[in-house]
Amino acid sequence: MSATPDDRPLLRRLFERRSLEELAPIPKALTYAALMGWTFVVLFPLYWVLVTSLKVQIQVDAGPYYLPFVDFQPTLDAWNFMLFQNNTLWPYVNSIIVALVSTVLALIIGSLAAYALVRIRFQVKLAAIIAFIVLAAGVIVAVSVFAVPWPAAVVAALVLFFMILGTIGRRFKAALGNNDIEFWMISNRIMPPIVAVLPIYVMFQNLKLLDTQIALISTYTAVNLPIVVWLTRDFFAGIPLDLEESAEIDGASKLRVFFTIALPLVRSGLAATFMLVLILAWNEYLLALFLSNANAQTMPVLVSAQNTTRGPQWWYMSVLIVIMIVPVIVIAAFLQKHIARGLMVGAVKG
């Protein structure tokens, strides 16, 4: 079947689309030109880092050189030093373990919390919150000022807390609901990390856990937990309640409904959340700088260490940046379909 001839004037054929499925020639050319320009903007920094890793110091200082074998003779000296002579493998392993474990823990705990906030109505008495804060401050003062053993101080505070809940707490009706809890969670990300890093450092120092993977994993999990809760709550809210009620009528518990019905339905959203939290944990620098030294050092700290007294060693730094980018690209490519679908969840409401 032959195509219908287009009898429109030349200018209309160039600027007006013939059908909804295809663009006119001029808009199509402008669209592809804009996409190619944006692709260059995105990919050129990656290309420049890769090219810099193939240079030596004199080529970096005397540059810029852009094309290997044309502007300069590439070499693997920086790669050989960083991979085989420098202690790069252990920080790389630390980053992988800390980022993956903390992300998985944050995703499990955060998705459970988000599901509970969506499906269960909470009423937390304001008196209980005030009592908890006052007693926690009392424990800190008793341990630090009066040298009270911390187990005894904690037990005494817990006894007083439950006594207050059973007596004075019942007289106060003011309570916080789900929206207040959600806002409190996300407000933890509003606070600058530098405000909390010193207390966290002192805590792990007293627990003898400084420079360990446990300290980094627990801290990263706690820091990224509000993001997981905030993102996944919308995914769970989009699940039809009838599906879960039908399962509960058949005898399924809340946990079984969560793992067998809710989680499979939001797997795309969980993949997008996993990727975002993984990138945040993978690139985290401030907490790693304070909580790690030699044994638990991660890649961002190792990259910053290349800025020595002789100046930034860009060729070594570029090698580390390239090998840092590779795992994220691999995971993103593997989860691409789920990430694209998960980012669209909740974007259109009917």
Side-chain angles (χ1 to χ4, degrees), residues 6 10 21 25 40 56 64 75 104 110 114 127 176 180 190 197 218 242 244 250 263 271 273 277 285 294 337 342:
D6 193 349
L10 178 60
E21 290 79 12
F40 176 79
V56 294
T75 178
V104 171
L176 301 181
D180 300 308
I190 300 175
V197 70
S218 57
D242 297 341
E244 300 179 11
D250 292 336
L263 279 186
T273 305
V277 175
Y285 171 74
K337 182 187 300 184

Side-chain angles (χ1 to χ4, degrees), residues 51-72:
V51 168
T52 304
S53 69
L54 301 176
K55 299 177 181 179
V56 294
Q57 180 177 0
I58 189 172
Q59 293 170 339
V60 174
D61 295 338
Y65 300 123
Y66 298 93
L67 301 176
F69 301 104
V70 177
D71 291 338
F72 68 97

Side-chain angles (χ1 to χ4, degrees), residues 1-330:
M1 184 177 180
S2 59
T4 305
D6 193 349
D7 298 330
R8 296 178 301 168
L10 178 60
L11 288 179
R12 291 189 61 185
R13 291 201 305 267
L14 291 176
F15 288 95
E16 294 184 5
R17 62 173 64 193
R18 187 176 182 182
S19 64
L20 295 176
E21 290 79 12
E22 60 178 346
L23 292 173
I26 298 299
K28 180 186 291 186
L30 294 176
T31 301
Y32 279 104
L35 291 175
M36 291 176 63
W38 181 246
T39 303
F40 176 79
V41 170
V42 172
L43 295 182
F44 182 77
L46 302 179
Y47 169 78
W48 188 248
V49 169
L50 179 61
V51 168
T52 304
S53 69
L54 301 176
K55 299 177 181 179
V56 294
Q57 180 177 0
I58 189 172
Q59 293 170 339
V60 174
D61 295 338
Y65 300 123
Y66 298 93
L67 301 176
F69 301 104
V70 177
D71 291 338
F72 68 97
Q73 186 65 30
T75 178
L76 296 177
D77 290 348
W79 286 85
N80 178 64
F81 177 79
M82 296 307 298
L83 296 182
F84 300 106
Q85 301 179 34
N86 193 51
N87 184 23
T88 303
L89 179 61
W90 187 240
Y92 198 68
V93 173
N94 281 335
S95 289
I96 293 175
I97 294 175
V98 170
L100 284 178
V101 175
S102 64
T103 300
V104 171
L105 288 176
L107 203 63
I108 294 173
I109 300 172
S111 59
L112 285 167
Y115 181 76
L117 288 172
V118 169
R119 292 292 185 251
I120 302 174
R121 182 176 177 82
F122 292 94
Q123 289 291 327
V124 183
K125 292 292 184 66
L126 190 59
I129 298 176
I130 296 175
F132 179 83
I133 295 174
V134 172
L135 291 174
V139 170
I140 295 174
V141 172
V143 173
S144 60
V145 177
F146 300 101
V148 178
W150 70 265
V154 170
V155 171
L158 288 176
V159 172
L160 290 175
F161 179 71
F162 287 111
M163 289 178 60
I164 292 173
L165 288 184
T167 55
I168 304 176
R170 293 182 177 180
R171 301 181 180 181
F172 294 90
K173 301 300 181 181
L176 301 181
N178 291 40
N179 292 334
D180 300 308
I181 297 174
E182 293 170 3
F183 176 77
W184 174 79
M185 285 186 174
I186 198 62
S187 66
N188 288 281
R189 291 294 301 182
I190 300 175
M191 180 180 64
I194 192 64
V195 175
V197 70
L198 289 179
I200 293 174
Y201 174 86
V202 174
M203 178 184 69
F204 284 117
Q205 185 181 43
N206 292 330
L207 293 175
K208 310 299 182 184
L209 289 176
L210 278 180
D211 198 21
T212 62
Q213 293 179 353
I214 296 176
L216 292 177
I217 290 172
S218 57
T219 305
Y220 287 7
T221 301
V223 167
N224 292 323
L225 196 58
I227 296 179
V228 177
V229 175
W230 192 259
L231 292 177
T232 54
R233 63 179 293 277
D234 289 334
F235 303 141
F236 289 119
I239 300 176
L241 189 58
D242 297 341
L243 294 176
E244 300 179 11
E245 291 178 344
S246 299
E248 291 178 2
I249 291 175
D250 292 336
S253 63
K254 279 289 185 183
L255 279 178
R256 186 173 181 182
V257 170
F258 173 76
F259 285 107
T260 60
I261 296 177
L263 279 186
L265 290 177
V266 299
R267 59 182 180 273
S268 297
L270 291 178
T273 305
F274 172 86
M275 195 66 218
L276 175 61
V277 175
L278 178 66
I279 293 174
L280 292 175
W282 184 259
N283 295 330
E284 209 291 318
Y285 171 74
L286 180 64
L287 294 172
L289 179 64
F290 276 80
L291 301 180
S292 66
N293 191 1
N295 296 327
Q297 187 182 54
T298 57
M299 290 299 292
V301 179
L302 182 61
V303 171
S304 68
Q306 306 312 308
N307 189 7
T308 63
T309 55
R310 294 178 297 175
Q313 297 178 326
W314 299 112
W315 48 100
Y316 294 148
M317 199 178 296
S318 298
V319 173
L320 297 176
I321 293 173
V322 170
I323 63 177
M324 277 189 66
I325 293 173
V326 171
V328 178
I329 293 177
V330 171

